[in-house]
Amino acid sequence: MNSWAPTPAKRAAPAGRRPKFLLLLLALGVGVVLFGMHMITLFSGSADALGGLGQWRWGSSTSRPPGFLQHDMTDEELLWRASFVPQVKEYYPFWRVPKIAFMFLSRGPLPLRPLWDRFFTGHEGLYTIYVHSQHPHYWADYPPSSPFYGRQVPSQVTEWGEITLCDAERRLLANALLDISNEWFVLLSDSCIPLFSFNYIYNYLRRTNLSYVQVYDLPGKDGRGRYSPGMAPEVDIARWRKGSQWFEVQRDIAVAIVADVKFYPKFREFCKPDCYPDEHYLPTMLSMEVPHLLANRSITWVDWTRRPASHPGTFGMAEVNETFLRRIKKMKTCHYSNQSSSPCFLFARKFTPSSLQALLQLAPKVLGFG
Ligand SMILES: *[C@@H]1O[C@H](CO)[C@@H](O)[C@H](O)[C@H]1NC(C)=O
Ligand SMILES: *[C@@H]1O[C@H](CO)[C@@H](O)[C@H](O)[C@H]1NC(C)=O
Ligand SMILES: *[C@@H]1O[C@H](CO)[C@@H](O)[C@H](O)[C@H]1NC(C)=O
Ligand SMILES: *[C@@H]1O[C@H](CO)[C@@H](O)[C@H](O)[C@H]1NC(C)=O
């Protein structure tokens, strides 16, 4: 910048013109300062958009102050930024301990939070929590001692059965992807409970390279009947799939979901009520793009045997007991690492707030924590 300094200064200016010359010098100086300030904002701005290196280096985000999850990125900016993948696959230039991202879709407070608090106790550094609220202006008042403190992501209005629910899932994934240590991404609701201890779940996910997304083909009104021909050619009816909303995916798949610009616009436009995009978007897209990486089943247990079948069974104080919990934990009619001797489900729903006391009481003996 020194080279920009006005060379006329070296020449002796005629005495009468000196004030004018000084003014010019002053104007130039101000110009240089303004230009410098502009460059600084420009560069810090783009560093922020591309940034995250500082954030990545932190690795464990639990040690950071609450509120750091706040940002003012639009969904478009957030999904774009979250889709970045390192090209060096051989190593990480820092100590990386893979973590589970627990992503909660909540309507308001999390009534079963005290159970989850106990589940997470002692496992700091191996997990991160993200909470998406159905109402963007709802802020839960979690105590600073809770691992949920400060873990709400910027949220948008979410309507069950509409595309905004898929938007919320992608928003949660994108926020969680910003932490490069997150390796497994579990979507949970405010009525979900863990069926095993943290260590058990961590090892279960670590030992498989499959993603737990339920995928099936259902003829009739609640399956293929929801397909719209407008989705062709990206999706044709023969490849239309259904599955549970509650998934667990590995990092590569999470990136594929936030980076999807091929299928998402079709679902947004054509999967209108009563289509339920949350039951079709991921099963259809992932079974077309990465079928070999899917387990085709969910790891979250739910009871569809109740009538009417449009709503899954709910369990409250009267229904929760040791026999019942042990029965879900023991279900083994599924495949895990090509063995059918391991349990099928790591999580279960739907548990009402009234079940909390019974669950807290049974947890040490039946669930293995607390
Ligand atoms: C998954 O793991 C198994 C053995 O652990 C391996 O043979 C297989 O190639 C892996 N699959 C992928 C897609 O990485
Ligand atoms: C899941 O289904 C796909 C076909 O859509 C198949 O390629 C894949 O092997 C299945 N996964 C398992 C674990 O069987
Ligand atoms: C335990 O709960 C199940 C299902 O909620 C119920 O059918 C069963 O009768 C209960 N058992 C006892 C001993 O209360
Ligand atoms: C899974 O087990 C079956 C029989 O037990 C075996 O034939 C098959 O090769 C196994 N698959 C893998 C991927 O190990």
Side-chain angles (χ1 to χ4, degrees), residues 24-77:
L24 184 77
L25 201 71
L26 188 71
L28 250 166
V30 169
V32 166
V33 167
L34 284 179
F35 179 74
M37 280 164 68
H38 171 69
M39 291 309 278
I40 286 168
T41 31
L42 202 75
F43 276 107
S44 62
S46 63
D48 190 45
L50 295 170
L53 255 188
Q55 194 169 345
W56 294 349
R57 192 173 299 135
W58 278 83
S60 164
S61 48
T62 43
S63 55
R64 270 185 274 168
F68 87 96
L69 287 177
Q70 298 315 306
H71 56 72
D72 55 8
M73 284 185 273
T74 62
D75 276 355
E76 196 182 30
E77 289 167 335

Side-chain angles (χ1 to χ4, degrees), residues 295-368:
N296 303 321
R297 66 177 182 87
S298 177
I299 42 166
T300 302
W301 180 83
V302 64
D303 177 18
W304 283 109
T305 62
R306 302 243 180 137
R307 294 283 171 253
S310 58
H311 286 286
T314 55
F315 303 95
M317 191 167 52
E319 287 85 11
V320 172
N321 57 46
E322 187 173 337
T323 325
F324 167 66
L325 291 177
R326 288 203 191 279
R327 186 170 64 81
I328 316 172
K329 286 175 63 125
K330 275 197 207 126
M331 291 182 180
K332 281 178 187 156
T333 49
C334 60
H335 285 277
Y336 165 72
S337 294
N338 209 21
Q339 292 160 11
S340 48
S341 57
S342 287
C344 299
F345 301 108
L346 301 182
F347 306 99
R349 61 193 290 270
K350 303 173 72 163
F351 290 80
T352 68
S354 76
S355 66
L356 180 65
Q357 285 315 318
L359 287 167
L360 287 175
Q361 209 169 12
L362 290 167
K365 188 173 170 204
V366 186
L367 305 178

Side-chain angles (χ1 to χ4, degrees), residues 155-175:
S155 309
Q156 305 259 331
V157 174
T158 309
E159 300 289 349
W160 257 240
E162 297 195 2
I163 195 76
T164 50
L165 190 49
C166 293
D167 294 342
E169 294 174 10
R170 296 176 94 210
R171 201 174 291 125
L172 272 168
L173 280 171
N175 278 287

Side-chain angles (χ1 to χ4, degrees), residues 210 215 287 291-292 294-296:
L210 293 175
V215 179
S287 67
H292 57 295
L294 304 181
N296 303 321

